[in-house]
Amino acid sequence: MMQIQLTLADQQFSLVLAGQQIVKIFQQQQAIGFDNPRENYFEFKLDDQVIGLDTSAVVEQSLSLHINNQFVQQLTLPPIEKTKPKQGLLGLFALGFKIFKSAKVVKVALAGASVAGYAWLFTFEFALMLIACLVIHEYGHVRAMQYFGIKTKGIYLIPFVGGLAVSDDKITTRWQDVVISLMGPAFGLITSVMGVVLYYATEMEIFAGVAVLSALLNLFNLLPILPLDGGHVLKSISFSMRSWVGLSICILGVLFGLWLSYTFGLMLLVFFLFIGALEIAFEWRGRHYSHLLPLDKYGQGFSAVMYALVVAGHVAVMMHFADSENAILSLPMKILSS
């Protein structure tokens, strides 16, 4: 990735290039949309004029400037600044985890430890239900990654924490982040609905338990807090706006999480909030060289609607069992209503 600074009509522009392809244009730190009508030629609007940039000679530190499809001048570029993301604490964690998961036996060991741990805390039947919900949730993430052509390394179960879908490649757009994040809870919603159907077909309360447990776990995961799935959706939408707006909204999410953890005594959530705060800080620091293509206004609205529909689905499942005589089945809705 390379970054080029330009001044056009007394306004500062920053171009982020991969080879001869422009992947992002910033106007005074605000990402703007552009078109690519032909190879190595990019256009965007500025003060009712169409600005064209021909990047064919970028390697020779030269850039052709066009206005309204008319050649204006050949710009001599300053030395190209190669952008390299700064490595932080999360990068070290990621590297350590990559080394740790290199052995395939780790998957089996983690899965066994998860089942044993949950069975020790609750019951063996509950542990199996919980593991099934986690695996289906993470499988939704994996399927979304595969849809976008992102190589995956499978699902890892982390005892007393949850699960993790691991990929080999990085996402390239905010839209991918939204879809991948929502597909986990969406597959979880399918699990909940199937649990309701099987409950009425067999009258076995274990299926109702699966439905309620899946809804509760996935609804928790949809909280607008990083690094949870809901936090990733919030981050992708908000950081596609003005950068300071994205930062403000994500900080509000952290404050909401702190209030939630204090109200319900969720100490594990505090750990998630710490990791999420680091992710927000790195996202803010890297906003000028981020390779992720932002969502347009339509994408922002559509992502918000998708998020709301998945949340509503899980709440509906919990509400369905709110009046159940079984205290376990009615408990999630009592927690939500409080």
Side-chain angles (χ1 to χ4, degrees):
M1 303 292 285
M2 300 179 294
Q3 184 168 308
I4 296 174
Q5 304 292 336
L6 290 178
T7 301
L8 300 174
D10 297 326
Q11 297 190 46
Q12 294 294 324
F13 290 85
S14 178
L15 313 179
V16 179
L17 296 92
Q20 294 179 322
Q21 300 298 308
I22 295 178
V23 295
K24 211 162 191 180
I25 300 178
F26 292 93
Q27 180 182 5
Q28 296 178 345
Q29 299 186 0
Q30 172 64 34
I32 62 175
F34 61 91
D35 297 319
N36 182 204
R38 59 181 184 270
E39 186 178 4
N40 298 332
Y41 187 81
F42 304 84
E43 292 180 341
F44 63 92
K45 289 186 177 181
L46 175 64
D47 298 333
D48 297 326
Q49 292 184 320
V50 178
I51 306 298
L53 299 173
D54 190 332
T55 59
S56 301
V58 163
V59 292
E60 301 170 3
Q61 293 186 236
S62 181
L63 186 71
S64 298
L65 175 65
H66 300 252
I67 298 180
N68 296 328
N69 294 319
Q70 298 294 321
F71 174 77
V72 176
Q73 69 179 112
Q74 196 77 16
L75 301 175
T76 301
L77 300 177
I80 295 175
E81 175 187 350
K82 293 186 177 180
T83 61
K84 183 178 181 181
K86 298 179 180 180
Q87 297 295 327
L89 186 58
L90 283 181
L92 295 177
F93 279 133
L95 178 60
F97 184 76
K98 189 172 182 180
I99 295 173
F100 174 71
K101 67 182 178 62
S102 57
K104 292 183 179 181
V105 70
V106 172
K107 285 185 181 181
V108 178
L110 288 175
S114 295
V115 173
Y118 298 133
W120 176 69
L121 280 178
F122 307 104
T123 64
F124 183 71
E125 291 79 6
F126 180 87
L128 292 180
M129 288 167 49
L130 182 58
I131 293 300
C133 292
L134 291 174
V135 169
I136 293 173
H137 174 100
E138 297 303 330
Y139 181 69
H141 293 314
V142 170
R143 289 295 298 168
M145 293 176 189
Q146 292 173 345
Y147 173 80
F148 288 116
I150 298 173
K151 296 180 181 179
T152 63
K153 287 192 173 181
I155 298 170
Y156 291 80
L157 296 173
I158 313 299
F160 307 114
V161 174
L164 183 65
V166 181
S167 66
D168 270 337
D169 302 330
K170 294 182 179 179
I171 60 174
T172 57
T173 67
R174 298 284 185 190
W175 173 244
Q176 291 177 350
D177 194 20
V178 169
V179 174
I180 292 171
S181 298
L182 284 180
M183 279 305 100
F187 270 60
L189 181 57
I190 296 174
T191 304
S192 295
V193 173
M194 287 298 297
V196 174
V197 172
L198 291 173
Y199 168 67
Y200 283 107
T202 64
E203 297 185 356
M204 297 176 63
E205 285 194 343
I206 188 171
F207 292 118
V210 169
V212 173
L213 179 62
S214 175
L216 181 62
L217 289 175
N218 284 280
L219 196 61
F220 174 80
N221 212 265
L222 285 166
L223 289 173
I225 301 168
L226 285 169
L228 302 178
D229 291 332
H232 277 279
V233 175
L234 174 69
K235 182 187 71 172
S236 291
I237 294 175
S238 56
F239 270 92
S240 294
M241 306 174 186
R242 296 178 183 271
S243 56
W244 63 268
V245 174
L247 178 65
S248 302
I249 295 176
C250 289
I251 290 176
L252 288 176
V254 172
L255 295 177
F256 169 71
L258 288 173
W259 172 83
L260 201 65
S261 61
Y262 174 77
T263 302
F264 292 98
L266 303 175
M267 291 299 102
L268 182 60
L269 186 58
V270 176
F271 170 74
F272 286 148
L273 289 170
F274 173 72
I275 299 299
L278 290 178
E279 188 170 345
I280 293 171
F282 293 141
E283 186 82 20
W284 174 254
R285 288 175 60 187
R287 64 192 184 280
H288 296 310
Y289 53 78
S290 175
H291 67 287
L292 297 178
L293 295 179
L295 296 165
D296 56 20
K297 291 186 180 297
Y298 172 79
Q300 294 167 24
F302 190 73
S303 299
V305 170
M306 287 174 56
Y307 173 81
L309 288 175
V310 177
V311 169
H314 287 295
V315 172
V317 172
M318 293 168 61
M319 290 180 64
H320 185 75
F321 293 101
D323 298 326
S324 173
E325 296 181 358
N326 188 313
I328 300 299
L329 297 181
S330 61
L331 180 61
M333 195 59 206
K334 291 179 180 177
I335 295 174
L336 188 63
S337 62
S338 67

